[in-house]
Amino acid sequence: MKLIMLGAPGAGKGTQAAELKDKLSIPAISTGAIIRNAIKNGTQVGIEAKAYIDNGQLVPDDTMIRLLGERLSMPDCVNGFILDGFPRTIAQAVALDEMVVDLDYVISLEVDDDVIVERLSGRRECPKCASTYHVTNNPSAKGDKCEKCGEPLVTRADDTPETILKRLAVYHEQTEPLIDYYKKSGKLVSVEGTSDVHSTTVEMFRAIGLEIA
């Protein structure tokens, strides 16, 4: 399958993409992780992207399109992929249409803004393996350390309350129009994302014709 996870920051796209990855044995591609890795490595693209991200803004379309095109050309994407964080603008969606022959589904996770703020302010991330947790909804079994690799967990710079509100404003202005864009193509399926993780996964799998054990 070729899938897109659509939704506001903190809607649960990464968590649900991981469930789909395990079920379908295809890569879950997070453009956010790609960019953060570029920032960590101090690449030119990373330096340029950091200024936008620190202000709660989107990385320019041309940079994102170039990064994604390189990723989709890799061998592990031959049998499909799950996109988490791309496209975020209509221009990116048009570019993706030109790169990809056909998409199977665009999964829109629906979550209210007040729930998003609560979720993101409690989110923690492993700087080593990029695993994500939440202090109340999905705590690490090792407390303030990653249960997978033991690295101390951190709060992302873009998860401060002020930046969260900026990111939501950008989402509503620039990314939310994608809902109508994909609805017209008949690829959009909407999933309620305010339930617990497992219930959301069950609903999502059902929406795209899969069963969960």
Side-chain angles (χ1 to χ4, degrees), residues 2 6 8 18 31 59 76 91 110 118 141 159 167 169 177 195 199-200:
K2 296 176 181 177
L6 189 63
T31 51
V59 176
D76 64 338
E110 307 293 336
E118 180 183 356
D159 279 346
R167 293 170 67 196
S195 303
S199 297
T200 300

Side-chain angles (χ1 to χ4, degrees), residues 109-124:
L109 293 177
E110 307 293 336
V111 183
D112 292 337
D113 283 4
D114 56 345
V115 177
I116 294 292
V117 174
E118 180 183 356
R119 282 185 180 179
L120 292 185
S121 61
R123 185 164 65 175
R124 301 293 181 268

Side-chain angles (χ1 to χ4, degrees), residues 46-181:
I47 293 171
E48 294 173 3
K50 187 175 187 303
Y52 290 94
I53 293 174
D54 286 348
N55 286 312
Q57 298 176 316
L58 297 181
V59 176
D61 288 341
D62 58 345
T63 302
M64 293 304 309
I65 291 166
R66 188 171 70 252
L67 283 171
L68 187 73
E70 293 175 352
R71 181 65 183 88
L72 293 183
S73 67
M74 295 182 179
D76 64 338
C77 293
V78 171
N79 294 321
F81 50 79
I82 306 152
L83 294 182
D84 167 15
F86 189 100
R88 290 189 175 179
T89 65
I90 296 296
Q92 290 180 7
V94 172
L96 182 62
D97 288 341
E98 296 174 352
M99 284 189 280
V100 178
V101 175
D102 197 17
L103 291 168
D104 290 288
Y105 295 101
V106 177
I107 302 167
S108 177
L109 293 177
E110 307 293 336
V111 183
D112 292 337
D113 283 4
D114 56 345
V115 177
I116 294 292
V117 174
E118 180 183 356
R119 282 185 180 179
L120 292 185
S121 61
R123 185 164 65 175
R124 301 293 181 268
E125 182 177 77
C126 175
K128 184 176 182 180
C129 71
S131 295
T132 57
Y133 304 89
H134 192 278
V135 293
T136 56
N137 298 333
N138 182 35
S140 169
K142 295 184 178 179
D144 60 355
K145 294 184 179 180
C146 178
E147 62 186 47
K148 295 181 180 179
C149 67
E151 192 78 7
L153 300 176
V154 300
T155 300
R156 281 168 39 178
D158 54 348
D159 279 346
T160 62
E162 181 180 356
T163 304
I164 291 170
L165 292 175
K166 288 183 179 179
R167 293 170 67 196
L168 284 170
V170 170
Y171 169 77
H172 290 307
E173 178 183 353
Q174 300 188 35
T175 306
E176 204 166 48
L178 289 171
I179 293 176
D180 286 334
Y181 180 87

